[in-house]
């Protein structure tokens, strides 16, 4: 009788413990975020999945040229024009200053510079209704041509809402 009780108890414990013993478990944690712009002023990428990723300028072997980066932005300012400038002169570097590749940055067809005074990139009329405009980043071929290497760099654009009547 004791043997039968022990056998039943052991079988019951095995059955009860087996799901936790044999079960596999996976967990995934990820961040979720959103930026909801104010309707009064915004300059946001039309395709939001690219802005935080490295953008590649592709090398074309037959022509020995680099490609450009072309991306659209949605812009709006309900009471004036939109201005922009660069924080610093943009370039690609491989660690050797003589090999740097300058970048030409245009927003809505207006070439940006690191000058302290920003340039108007969207008129007040276009900004009031909202527009989709093009950001274009072009490499400037160095005098001695492109040198082999792995290059990287940053482009930092600053946008501001021009006050009405300026």
């Amino acid at each position: 009788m004791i043997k039968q009780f022990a056998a039943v108890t052991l079988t019951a414990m095995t059955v009860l413990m087996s799901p936790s013993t044999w079960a596999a478990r996976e967990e995934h944690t990820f961040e979720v975020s959103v930026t909801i712009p104010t309707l009064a002023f915004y300059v946001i990428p039309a395709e939001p999945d690219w802005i935080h990723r490295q953008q590649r300028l592709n090398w074309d072997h037959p022509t020995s040229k680099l490609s450009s980066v072309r991306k659209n932005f949605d812009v709006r300012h309900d009471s004036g024009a939109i201005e922009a400038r660069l924080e610093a002169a943009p370039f690609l570097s491989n660690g050797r200053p003589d090999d740097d590749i300058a970048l030409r940055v245009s927003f809505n067809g207006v070439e940006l510079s690191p000058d302290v005074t920003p340039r108007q990139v969207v008129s007040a009329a276009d900004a009031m209704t909202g527009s989709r405009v093009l950001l274009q980043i072009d490499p400037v071929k160095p005098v001695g041509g492109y040198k082999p290497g792995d290059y990287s760099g940053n482009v930092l654009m600053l946008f501001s809402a021009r006050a009405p009547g300026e």
Side-chain angles (χ1 to χ4, degrees), residues 84-90 103-105 111-116 118 155-158:
R85 72 178 188 88
L86 298 171
E87 177 66 20
L103 298 173
R104 183 178 301 114
V105 179
E111 187 172 337
L112 302 181
S113 77
D115 293 339
V116 175
V155 175
L156 179 55
M157 300 180 296
L158 305 171

Side-chain angles (χ1 to χ4, degrees), residues 8-165:
V8 168
T9 303
L10 194 56
T11 304
M13 286 178 60
T14 304
V15 169
L16 290 174
M17 296 293 284
S18 65
S20 62
T21 304
W22 300 103
R25 179 177 171 166
E26 288 189 36
E27 290 185 20
H28 300 282
T29 303
F30 55 91
E31 293 181 29
V32 178
S33 67
V34 64
T35 300
I36 301 174
T38 174
L39 291 179
F41 174 73
Y42 60 81
V43 178
I44 55 176
E47 303 136 20
D49 61 335
W50 70 269
I51 195 80
H52 300 291
R53 288 193 232 153
Q54 186 178 53
Q55 301 301 302
R56 291 198 57 84
L57 279 71
N58 296 313
W59 179 251
D60 183 10
H61 291 285
T63 63
S64 296
K65 291 184 180 178
L66 287 172
S67 66
S68 298
V69 172
R70 296 171 57 95
K71 299 291 182 180
N72 289 307
F73 277 73
D74 290 330
V75 298
R76 182 169 175 10
H77 182 211
D78 66 356
S79 59
I82 298 174
E83 300 174 326
R85 72 178 188 88
L86 298 171
E87 177 66 20
F91 62 92
L92 297 172
S93 176
N94 65 2
R96 294 184 293 273
D98 292 342
D99 295 350
D100 286 353
I101 301 169
L103 298 173
R104 183 178 301 114
V105 179
S106 299
F107 193 82
N108 197 25
V110 177
E111 187 172 337
L112 302 181
S113 77
D115 293 339
V116 175
T117 305
R119 297 181 180 170
Q120 180 177 309
V121 293
V122 181
S123 70
D126 288 342
M128 261 184 222
T129 59
S131 299
R132 179 162 284 179
V133 299
L134 179 67
L135 165 68
Q136 183 161 335
I137 302 171
D138 297 310
V140 178
K141 187 173 184 177
V143 174
Y146 297 110
K147 305 288 188 231
D150 292 321
Y151 291 79
S152 62
N154 294 304
V155 175
L156 179 55
M157 300 180 296
L158 305 171
F159 295 93
S160 56
R162 182 181 277 181

